[in-house]
Amino acid sequence: MARVQENGPENPHEIRLEIANEAALARLAARLAMAARPGDLICLEGDLGAGKTSFARAFIHALQDDPEEVPSPTFTLLQSYETRAGLVHHFDLYRIADAAEAGPLGFEDALGEGIVLVEWPERLGPLLLRERLSLRLEFGPTPDSRRAILRGFGERAERLRNIAVDG
């Protein structure tokens, strides 16, 4: 991973990275997992197949002593995992139409219980918190590569500055 841009003019709390392959994405996920705390909302954005679920899987595995299977919650909408950092809730909102459908999933309760990873966070509408970390994954120049754009909002912006990213 190489840092492309930090604290750019468009967003003073942004880091852009070139991710060479899935192993590099897993290293980034592990770095963010070690910095995450209960109450954190991490929004995973990007097209289908961009690596959101792979990132979530690596994030969760980094926090487990005995990594368990981490399936995509596309059909269940939510999977929760016990980790060293407490509960991690992984939401995949691809199949919901609007924020009204997210409420019954226990999204707000999950934030009070642990770390929350959300794929397709734009579907949360007004439930999307200002205090969050956003990771956008885009396809890179090679089939295995990705571009990652990390943005911190609110207090998460300051913590983003403190996350050292491998070069």
Side-chain angles (χ1 to χ4, degrees):
M1 289 182 286
R3 191 177 307 201
V4 175
Q5 175 183 349
E6 183 173 356
N7 300 332
E10 314 82 49
N11 184 335
H13 311 295
E14 179 177 283
I15 297 173
R16 292 176 174 258
L17 305 167
E18 294 295 326
I19 308 293
N21 52 39
E22 193 166 342
L25 182 63
R27 287 192 300 275
L28 174 61
R31 299 292 285 195
L32 292 176
M34 293 306 132
R37 300 189 286 242
D40 281 355
L41 171 60
I42 302 172
C43 297
L44 305 176
E45 304 169 359
D47 291 335
L48 280 171
K52 298 178 298 293
T53 300
S54 293
F55 175 91
R57 185 174 293 121
F59 182 101
I60 293 162
H61 282 168
L63 294 173
Q64 292 179 320
D65 293 323
D66 187 18
E68 61 186 279
E69 183 179 349
V70 178
S72 171
T74 300
F75 294 103
T76 60
L77 303 178
L78 168 64
Q79 295 283 347
S80 298
Y81 303 90
E82 287 286 344
T83 74
R84 288 187 304 280
L87 284 172
V88 175
H89 302 284
H90 180 196
F91 288 86
D92 184 333
L93 304 180
Y94 180 74
R95 295 181 338 117
I96 71 166
D98 61 45
E101 293 179 62
L105 295 175
F107 176 75
E108 292 173 314
D109 292 337
L111 283 167
E113 297 173 349
I115 299 166
V116 174
L117 304 173
V118 179
E119 297 184 46
W120 307 99
E122 64 277 6
R123 299 201 172 146
L124 285 171
L127 294 176
L128 185 60
L129 301 178
R130 174 163 165 33
E131 292 280 334
R132 67 185 185 275
L133 176 67
S134 167
L135 170 65
R136 176 158 190 77
L137 293 171
E138 300 173 347
F139 294 100
T142 66
D144 292 337
S145 69
R146 299 291 184 266
R147 289 184 186 94
I149 304 165
L150 291 150
R151 292 184 182 109
F153 297 87
E155 181 257 330
R156 301 323 184 262
E158 186 60 37
R159 288 197 7 228
L160 180 60
R161 285 190 203 111
N162 297 324
I163 296 172
V165 181
D166 295 332

